[in-house]
Amino acid sequence: MEKTHNSQIPTKSSHKNEKEPEIITDKNQMRRWSRAMRSQGKTIGLVPTMGYLHEGHISLIKEAHKLTNLIVVSIYLNPGQFSPTEDLSTYPSDFDGDIQRLMAVPGGVDVVFNPYNLYDYGNSSVAGDGEVEKKGAVSCVEERGLGHETWVRVERLEKGMCGKSRPVFFRGVATVVTKLFNIVEPDVAVFGKKDYQQWRIIQRMVRDLDFSIEVIGSDIVRENDGLAMSSRNVHLSTEERKKVLSMLVIPLIFS
C-alpha cells in the first residue's frame, strides 16, 4: 500500500524543541518583517511552495538552512499557472499538516507566508453566506480596472517540454515568483531540480531583471519506487505510477 500524505506528518508530541513558525497572510506585513530582519544584518532564504508538503520540499528547506540565517516558506496555490482545463480545484491541500511538517524540520522555519490571493486588488465580492468569494488570476482589466494584467515571460526557455502542453504555466510561474521576490525580498531562493525547466526559467528571469537574489537548484528527492516526489503523486493510481516510471526521460540542455 502506498503511503498517504497524512501518514508522513509527525505529530507535535513526537518531536521535542519544535519551532512554531509565524504565519503571515498580509503582503505588507511580510515585507515589513523581511526589512526588519535585514536591518539587523540577517539573511533570508525563501522556499516557494504550493503546499501539501513532502520530503522533497523539506530537502529544499534544509538546503536553505545552510545558506541563510532565516527561512521563509511560502504556501500559495497560484491560480495564474493553471489554465481553465487544469487541476486547480483538485490540487491537494493540508495546511495544518504542512505546519506540523515544518515544525519537525531541524531548525524549523521562521515564517510561513500564506497570502489569500496575490492577484486580488480589492475586487473580491461577498457571497450570499457572507463569505468572501475568491477570484482567480485574470489576464484582462476587470470592472473598475482592478484586474491583474501584467505578466512576466521568459520567452525562449518557456517554449518546449512542459511549455508545449501547458502554454500559460511558465508565464504564471515567472509572474508569481516575481511577486514573491518583491514581497519577501530574500537573499536566496531554493527550487527543486525536479522541475528543471522551471528552475532554469527562474534563473534566467533573475539574471535578466537584475534581482539581487541567488537562485539555488536542489537535487531531486525520490520515493521508494524511484518516482520523483510531487504533491500530485497522491492522485496517481498504481497503473499510472507504473506508466510514469516506465517512461524514458531524455535530458535536454538549456544554454
Side-chain angles (χ1 to χ4, degrees):
M1 180 180 295
E2 298 172 10
K3 288 183 178 180
T4 64
H5 184 262
N6 287 336
S7 70
Q8 300 174 8
I9 299 172
T11 60
K12 291 184 69 173
S13 61
S14 64
H15 292 269
K16 296 180 180 179
N17 302 317
E18 290 174 330
K19 177 179 179 178
E20 187 168 355
E22 180 178 356
I23 298 173
I24 296 178
T25 59
D26 179 74
K27 57 189 175 183
N28 293 319
Q29 182 185 351
M30 181 71 253
R31 188 177 287 113
R32 287 194 297 270
W33 181 91
S34 292
R35 291 181 179 180
M37 295 302 105
R38 290 169 68 89
S39 71
Q40 299 173 25
K42 302 291 180 64
T43 56
I44 298 170
L46 171 65
V47 178
T49 82
M50 294 206 299
Y52 210 69
L53 305 182
H54 51 69
E55 286 303 319
H57 295 112
I58 302 306
S59 73
L60 306 183
I61 297 167
K62 290 178 178 178
E63 185 67 24
H65 268 297
K66 300 174 186 177
L67 303 168
T68 58
N69 304 125
L70 302 170
I71 307 297
V72 176
V73 173
S74 62
I75 297 179
Y76 178 65
L77 184 54
N78 174 32
Q81 67 194 59
F82 292 81
S83 74
T85 60
E86 292 175 340
D87 61 342
L88 174 60
S89 64
T90 61
Y91 195 91
S93 175
D94 182 10
F95 185 76
D96 290 339
D98 289 343
I99 298 301
Q100 293 301 311
R101 285 191 64 75
L102 294 174
M103 289 174 62
V105 177
V109 303
D110 298 279
V111 168
V112 171
F113 180 45
N114 179 226
Y116 157 63
N117 183 1
L118 292 179
Y119 300 89
D120 178 22
Y121 304 98
N123 57 335
S124 294
S125 59
V126 179
D129 58 3
E131 294 294 323
V132 174
E133 179 185 358
K134 295 182 180 180
K135 293 186 178 181
V138 292
S139 60
C140 59
V141 177
E142 289 185 334
E143 183 183 358
R144 300 188 305 280
L146 297 174
H148 179 87
E149 60 170 339
T150 302
W151 301 97
V152 179
R153 305 294 296 254
V154 182
E155 293 184 343
R156 186 172 65 86
L157 288 185
E158 72 176 35
K159 296 177 181 177
M161 296 178 69
C162 292
K164 284 185 177 180
S165 59
R166 304 187 69 187
V168 305
F169 177 73
F170 290 119
R171 178 190 76 171
V173 168
T175 301
V176 80
V177 171
T178 297
K179 284 175 170 284
L180 290 171
F181 285 175
N182 283 333
I183 295 166
V184 179
E185 299 181 346
D187 299 279
V188 173
V190 184
F191 294 82
K193 290 183 180 178
K194 174 183 75 70
D195 301 307
Y196 182 78
Q197 189 175 11
Q198 172 179 281
W199 167 54
R200 294 305 301 268
I201 283 172
I202 298 304
Q203 281 189 318
R204 184 61 54 85
M205 180 190 78
V206 164
R207 186 201 72 175
D208 290 353
L209 298 183
D210 295 310
F211 280 102
S212 182
I213 298 170
E214 183 179 4
V215 176
I216 301 296
S218 188
D219 290 338
I220 297 172
V221 176
R222 298 185 182 276
E223 300 194 29
N224 292 336
D225 60 3
L227 184 65
M229 286 192 170
S230 171
S231 301
R232 286 186 174 93
N233 286 354
V234 70
H235 292 317
L236 294 177
S237 67
T238 301
E239 288 303 313
E240 287 170 333
R241 288 181 75 95
K242 289 179 179 178
K243 288 180 181 178
V244 171
L245 290 169
S246 67
M247 293 174 63
L248 176 64
V249 178
I250 304 175
L252 301 179
I253 299 176
F254 286 69
S255 60

